[in-house]
Amino acid sequence: KDFTTVCTTELGYMAGIEDKFKARNTKLIGLSIDPVGNHEKWSDDIEAALSHRPRYPMIGDTDLAVAKLYNMLPAEEPGTSEGRTAATNATVRSVFVIGPDKKIKLMMTYPMTTGRNFDEIVRVVDSMQLTAKHKVATPVNWKQGEDVIIAGSVSDDDAKKLFPQGWAAPRPYLRIVPQPKG
């Protein structure tokens, strides 16, 4: 919903880091159940409060179709955006990462009182792009440039070809290598 406290801070922050997503060949899009005409006024407020103006598209989901399609609101939720308040939209606090194949790769839902962590979303995008290109997985709290894990689907014989420098293995199933380049 437009003109809500936490969402205002989030959209402003996203506007400030949009270049990080562009650098990863990733597009941002926002969704609100309010009409598109309200988004421009809200963008003015966001820029005034946070010094960053959202330039990415924002969907006006006045009939709640997108929110229901992505399970942000129950399918049986009655009505449209008309007369809804921030409290009646408590579940519409989701983040989706949708891959080039148009399939959902990540879905996170936050409570109304907790701001979404978009630095984490950047980290997840980095991980997903890396693991799609190389046969690795990223461990807990991984950050760009840190060691990764050889994917469990890779046999030791195949791993020797992919990672001729070898790996550390604190357990036979936990094979750690430096993050592949490129």
Side-chain angles (χ1 to χ4, degrees):
K1 182 138 184 71
D2 292 4
F3 306 103
T4 55
T5 55
V6 176
C7 291
T8 295
T9 66
E10 292 167 338
L11 269 62
Y13 187 80
M14 287 297 295
I17 66 168
E18 186 174 8
D19 286 347
K20 289 184 179 186
F21 287 91
K22 286 181 180 176
R24 289 160 174 82
N25 198 28
T26 306
K27 297 175 185 176
L28 299 176
I29 189 165
L31 176 109
S32 172
I33 64 155
D34 287 320
V36 171
N38 290 7
H39 298 345
E40 191 65 26
K41 293 175 198 141
W42 191 23
S43 292
D44 291 342
D45 278 7
I46 292 167
E47 184 175 28
L50 301 163
S51 303
H52 296 289
R53 181 181 197 82
R55 305 233 182 261
Y56 47 86
M58 287 200 286
I59 297 169
D61 188 26
T62 56
D63 63 359
L64 314 179
V66 177
K68 290 177 183 180
L69 180 67
Y70 284 88
N71 292 319
M72 293 184 279
L73 285 172
E76 65 276 2
E77 184 75 23
T80 65
S81 65
E82 195 64 35
R84 293 182 70 85
T85 67
T88 56
N89 289 321
T91 59
V92 186
R93 302 264 311 126
S94 298
V95 174
F96 297 91
V97 176
I98 301 171
D101 61 359
K102 309 294 184 222
K103 293 184 180 178
I104 295 173
K105 304 299 182 184
L106 171 81
M107 171 174 24
M108 296 171 68
T109 301
Y110 288 75
M112 289 266 309
T113 55
T114 302
R116 291 171 269 199
N117 185 335
F118 290 106
D119 292 330
E120 168 65 0
I121 303 305
V122 171
R123 185 191 79 85
V124 169
V125 167
D126 285 344
S127 172
M128 290 189 302
Q129 290 180 341
L130 177 70
T131 61
K133 189 172 183 181
H134 301 281
K135 295 185 179 197
V136 297
T138 56
V140 64
N141 298 326
W142 171 87
K143 292 181 189 81
Q144 190 66 258
E146 294 181 349
D147 288 349
V148 296
I149 302 165
I150 299 171
S153 59
V154 177
S155 70
D156 279 348
D157 286 340
D158 288 341
K160 288 175 187 172
K161 295 173 195 157
L162 292 168
F163 305 98
Q165 76 281 8
W167 56 82
R171 292 290 179 261
Y173 58 86
L174 185 58
R175 301 166 296 172
I176 301 168
V177 293
Q179 177 180 320
K181 305 288 185 226

